[in-house]
Amino acid sequence: MRLVILEDYDQASEWAAKYICNRIIQFKPNQGRYFTLGLPTGNTPLGCYKKLIEYHKNGDLSFKYVKTFNMDEYVGLPRNHPESYHSYMWNNFFKHIDIDPNNAHILDGNAPDLQAECDAFEKKIEEAGGIDLFVGGIGPDGHIAFNEPGSSLSSRTRLKTLAMDTILANAKYFDGDLSKVPTMALTVGVGTVMDAREVMILITGAHKAFALYKAIEEGVNHMWTVSAFQQHPRTIFVCDEDATLELRVKTVKYFKG
Amino acid sequence: MPSNKSVSDAPIVQFTNCRILRSHQLQREDLWVREGKILNPEKLFFDEKGSADIQLDCKDSIIAPGFIDVQINGGFGVDFSLATDDFKSGLDLVSQKILSHGVTSFCPTLVTSPPSVYHQVLPQISIRNGGAHGAGILGAHLEGPFISKEKKGAHPEHCLRTFEAGAFQDLLATYGSLDCVRIVTLAPEMKRSSEVIRELTKQGICVSLGHSVANLSQAEEAVQHGATFITHLFNAMLPFHHRDPGIVGLLTSDKIPAGRRVFYGMISDGIHTNPAALRIAHRAHPKGLVLVTDAIAGMGLAPGRHTLGQQVVEIDGLNTYIAGTKTLSGSVATMDTCVRHFQEATGCSVETALEAASLHPAQLLGIEHKKGTLNYDSDADFLMLNDDLYVQATYIAGEEVWRQDALGM
């Protein structure tokens, strides 16, 4: 893996955004050849999205020939609810850039047949030629997307029940009322993300430090599903100093040097 | 990218680089318009997979809902209380001219007049949408003749009437028809006014209290029967007294029926009310304040003599008096001037000043689901203003109907 350590959140966000931007530009996407990007939600990638929007507004980056696939979406939350991942992506990204709405794919948590919706999503990724770069985050419990502890490391897009850790972490977005937090979500599987040609995981903040330690310094384990990426040929972990607090000094020195 | 064909072929316009007034705040958001209505761009993106056909850079303008003037007696030489042969073209002229003041909807107002005037004029006023031809007409505002002799202001005494004989039937006979009447101003202390207020309210007409010597209980009773507006607060009513606040006391009355709000018109031209009085009213009941111009025929014209119904008035600067007296008679301030003066005098936020001329009158008339806001699915009647609240452009149903030209004329 590559472990890229930046001093703080802003620098980590900028590094990640520059990386994505360069990947797209170097790919030279056009009408017959789209760049496919996997995208996360949550607090961590907000800075990265802001930077990507800045590059777009400067005229340096166009999303005209980019297809995006989001990792997950809550089940049963109305699509226009302010906390749905559709709302998140619209407000924090899509409304500021020039992506074709037909190319922005997000799982529909209100589909009449949820498993069929998941299967169709996998099919769409396949039809798009697979994912060139999947950007993700890590939960405090080491999950990638909503692949909670105990998820199969070869899982595909499916319905998952959220772990209590995740529900507690999400409560702040629902007025602190646990009863309002969705308990189920549709999510890409660990296997789905592993299929991507390149993976970039963003990890910032001291509260994610232990999960990062478990993900890269311990073994591959379905209790810390991000650890699966130890077996991916091309993964980059982008962190800030705080996220490395639980790592061995030797590891940090190696990757910084 | 083409707009989605499955819902509508109509072009989608995206106004960018602007600050829009939404949810009581100026937000840095784009404004999307399709088929004369404000469009929800998120719904467009996810449901229709659509995008804008045209993008317009608003150069960091403020975008606010169009102003709604519920008390305007005329302007540019036109007097709505005069039954002339070319009344219709006069009405059209005013509705076209006020676009440059930011007014996108209005209630042509008639002061106390003889029945013949109402019978000739009212049938010529029809409720109609605005457009390039002019601001939309929401219905007439009939200020009088059922008002108090002591507080007639500039209204002609010989035309005043009471309800004593036939109450509502009297009113109907006087006006001729209520078909396109939106607001009636009357004095609630008059005998049998309660039944009239109830009947008008039942017919969906907004009842306003004004030109009256009512005390607070009489005013509260009127509100209980359905009255929801006060015509030009402070003017033509008893002054506030600490043991009987009169109509002014409605602003803080605890006898307003639950779920209802009393609105009050204010002419913030700097003349009709002392700024301190304007501030007292605003602070006492900020959500009820409705800016009105009470503009008369002389508005927009040079100083001098003009008519106001049966009277002659004299204009000198922003002051307008019954000729030869010191009795105020309407104003010549424009709506955008009133908004700016209100903001300066009260020190309120830009959002509050703009809402007093748009959201509040829409709420008064019960039309806020389609006018007075920039909410999704509302009519796309809006203004582009600069930071000093000068109107740069006026839009009705999404079409530009007036623009400040480069020479500032």
Side-chain angles (χ1 to χ4, degrees):
Chain A
M1 70 166 180
R2 267 178 83 179
L3 180 62
V4 177
I5 304 169
L6 284 311
E7 198 179 306
D8 57 26
Y9 176 77
D10 289 338
Q11 292 195 28
S13 301
E14 187 169 1
W15 194 99
K18 278 205 175 117
Y19 190 84
I20 297 168
C21 182
N22 288 336
R23 271 274 168 269
I24 296 173
I25 290 173
Q26 282 158 16
F27 185 88
K28 292 202 185 44
N30 58 47
Q31 215 161 346
R33 196 169 155 259
Y34 282 73
F35 186 89
T36 47
L37 193 55
L39 292 177
T41 52
N43 242 345
T44 309
L46 283 175
C48 179
Y49 282 130
K50 279 202 172 77
K51 277 292 178 190
L52 286 172
I53 291 164
E54 195 186 296
Y55 303 151
H56 169 68
K57 292 223 190 295
N58 287 340
D60 296 330
L61 178 61
S62 166
F63 291 86
K64 196 163 174 219
Y65 298 117
V66 174
K67 288 187 178 165
T68 63
F69 291 88
N70 264 70
M71 292 187 131
D72 41 24
E73 174 60 285
Y74 290 116
V75 166
L77 202 60
R79 203 216 58 224
N80 60 1
H81 188 284
E83 293 301 327
S84 79
Y85 287 167
H86 280 77
S87 293
Y88 176 102
M89 290 307 298
W90 169 255
N91 285 309
N92 293 310
F93 198 46
F94 295 146
K95 81 176 176 197
H96 305 279
I97 58 170
D98 61 343
I99 190 166
D100 183 335
N102 287 298
N103 293 335
H105 302 280
I106 309 181
L107 285 156
D108 177 6
N110 293 300
D113 182 344
L114 294 173
Q115 192 50 53
E117 169 69 12
C118 295
D119 295 341
F121 200 72
E122 288 273 343
K123 194 118 205 288
K124 280 191 201 132
I125 294 176
E126 197 189 332
E127 279 160 6
I131 308 267
D132 291 306
L133 172 60
F134 218 128
V135 182
I138 191 174
D141 59 359
H143 71 224
I144 174 122
F146 278 132
N147 293 288
E148 306 287 54
S151 296
S152 161
L153 299 180
S154 38
S155 50
R156 311 303 305 184
T157 305
R158 69 219 183 284
L159 172 69
K160 278 294 281 185
T161 308
L162 303 185
M164 183 43 87
D165 267 349
T166 305
I167 293 175
L168 288 172
N170 285 347
K172 64 179 181 274
Y173 302 120
F174 292 88
D175 302 320
D177 184 351
L178 285 182
S179 67
K180 290 204 178 116
V181 185
T183 55
M184 296 203 290
L186 300 184
T187 177
V188 292
V190 182
T192 317
V193 184
M194 282 288 285
D195 279 353
R197 286 179 273 286
E198 187 173 9
V199 177
M200 181 166 79
I201 313 275
L202 298 177
I203 308 182
T204 57
H207 59 300
K208 300 285 175 84
F210 191 74
L212 177 58
Y213 149 65
K214 281 289 186 183
I216 65 174
E217 285 189 340
E218 301 270 293
V220 173
N221 186 319
H222 68 174
M223 283 304 179
W224 300 89
T225 50
V226 177
S227 64
F229 293 91
Q230 292 178 24
Q231 299 199 297
H232 189 283
R234 220 169 146 207
T235 294
I236 310 176
F237 288 87
V238 180
C239 342
D240 63 357
E241 294 278 358
D242 283 347
T244 64
L245 286 173
E246 295 284 353
L247 299 180
R248 295 172 77 196
V249 176
K250 190 162 149 186
T251 309
V252 172
K253 282 197 163 171
Y254 175 74
F255 285 101
K256 266 191 165 167
Chain B
M1 283 174 276
S3 54
N4 179 278
K5 305 296 181 197
S6 70
V7 172
S8 165
D9 251 354
I12 296 171
V13 182
Q14 179 187 4
F15 295 86
T16 68
N17 190 13
C18 50
R19 289 159 287 153
I20 71 175
L21 177 59
R22 188 175 278 158
S23 306
H24 313 296
Q25 285 187 324
L26 281 183
Q27 305 181 2
R28 199 157 263 298
E29 292 283 350
D30 295 342
L31 187 75
W32 295 65
V33 177
R34 177 170 64 186
E35 284 179 306
K37 299 222 186 275
I38 312 279
L39 182 65
N40 181 340
E42 189 180 343
K43 210 150 169 266
L44 174 71
F45 187 90
F46 288 125
D47 285 348
E48 299 183 47
K49 310 272 187 253
S51 44
D53 294 295
I54 304 165
Q55 289 181 319
L56 293 174
D57 184 336
C58 301
K59 315 242 189 301
D60 201 31
S61 298
I62 291 174
I63 297 190
F67 299 147
I68 301 173
D69 193 353
V70 301
Q71 188 173 5
I72 166 173
N73 310 288
F76 306 95
V78 175
D79 179 350
F80 297 144
S81 306
L82 269 190
T84 59
D85 285 335
D86 58 349
F87 178 86
K88 256 220 156 93
S89 56
L91 180 62
D92 289 345
L93 176 75
V94 174
S95 69
Q96 200 273 316
K97 289 279 200 189
I98 57 180
L99 293 177
S100 66
H101 307 156
V103 178
T104 52
S105 303
F106 71 110
C107 294
T109 305
L110 274 74
V111 297
T112 296
S113 304
S116 55
V117 167
Y118 296 114
H119 294 183
Q120 285 171 69
V121 167
L122 287 183
Q124 299 191 64
I125 297 178
S126 50
I127 294 174
R128 66 169 191 222
N129 289 329
H133 57 273
I137 294 174
L138 299 172
H141 176 170
L142 303 181
E143 191 191 6
F146 302 99
I147 56 174
S148 151
K149 197 167 79 173
E150 291 102 317
K151 288 293 178 186
K152 64 182 187 294
H155 294 226
E157 184 165 341
H158 64 281
C159 297
L160 298 184
R161 299 175 78 93
T162 67
F163 294 129
E164 290 196 55
F168 188 74
Q169 292 314 312
D170 240 357
L171 179 140
L172 208 46
T174 304
Y175 294 144
S177 151
L178 291 175
D179 279 349
C180 56
V181 173
R182 200 66 197 79
I183 306 173
V184 170
T185 292
L186 49 78
E189 70 275 18
M190 297 175 79
K191 277 213 194 69
R192 302 188 71 181
S193 69
S194 307
E195 32 182 303
V196 175
I197 295 173
R198 270 200 309 274
E199 186 57 39
L200 286 170
T201 304
K202 211 163 88 182
Q203 299 207 13
I205 292 174
C206 167
V207 176
S208 186
L209 310 180
H211 287 276
S212 154
V213 294
N215 58 34
L216 181 56
S217 332
Q218 286 164 331
E220 282 167 340
E221 201 188 316
V223 169
Q224 265 140 27
H225 288 294
T228 52
F229 195 43
I230 302 172
T231 300
H232 44 55
L233 187 80
F234 296 128
N235 303 107
M237 56 186 65
L238 292 177
F240 174 87
H241 184 283
H242 52 289
R243 273 189 295 277
D244 189 348
I247 292 176
V248 178
L250 285 177
L251 264 58
T252 47
S253 165
D254 55 359
K255 304 251 186 321
I256 311 294
R260 273 227 265 132
R261 186 189 302 176
V262 170
F263 292 87
Y264 56 100
M266 296 229 65
I267 309 170
S268 69
D269 59 354
I271 292 155
H272 278 73
T273 333
N274 183 293
L278 180 59
R279 283 191 289 273
I280 286 177
H282 168 61
R283 287 181 205 175
H285 182 28
K287 288 199 160 83
L289 201 150
V290 172
L291 293 176
V292 301
T293 58
D294 201 15
I296 57 165
M299 182 268 284
L301 299 182
R305 292 191 155 212
H306 301 276
T307 65
L308 175 61
Q310 312 294 312
Q311 307 269 42
V312 177
V313 305
E314 223 167 306
I315 296 168
D316 170 22
L318 276 180
N319 297 288
T320 63
Y321 300 109
I322 299 285
T325 74
K326 280 290 172 201
T327 303
L328 287 174
S329 57
S331 87
V332 290
T334 62
M335 185 54 113
D336 58 317
T337 306
C338 289
V339 170
R340 286 191 294 275
H341 182 266
F342 173 64
Q343 202 270 313
E344 261 172 58
T346 59
C348 69
S349 65
V350 159
E351 293 91 326
T352 301
L354 293 170
E355 285 188 338
S358 56
L359 175 65
H360 293 175
Q363 287 172 329
L364 164 71
L365 297 179
I367 55 175
E368 74 265 32
H369 55 285
K370 57 178 185 149
K371 299 261 189 242
T373 73
L374 296 178
N375 294 340
Y376 301 139
D377 300 329
S378 279
D379 291 349
D381 296 350
F382 58 90
L383 312 172
M384 288 192 201
L385 306 119
N386 66 14
D387 283 351
D388 296 323
L389 301 186
Y390 280 86
V391 182
Q392 308 294 301
T394 306
Y395 286 75
I396 292 183
E399 300 295 325
E400 183 184 287
V401 295
W402 181 81
R403 173 164 286 275
Q404 171 89 288
D405 69 43
L407 297 171
M409 290 190 294

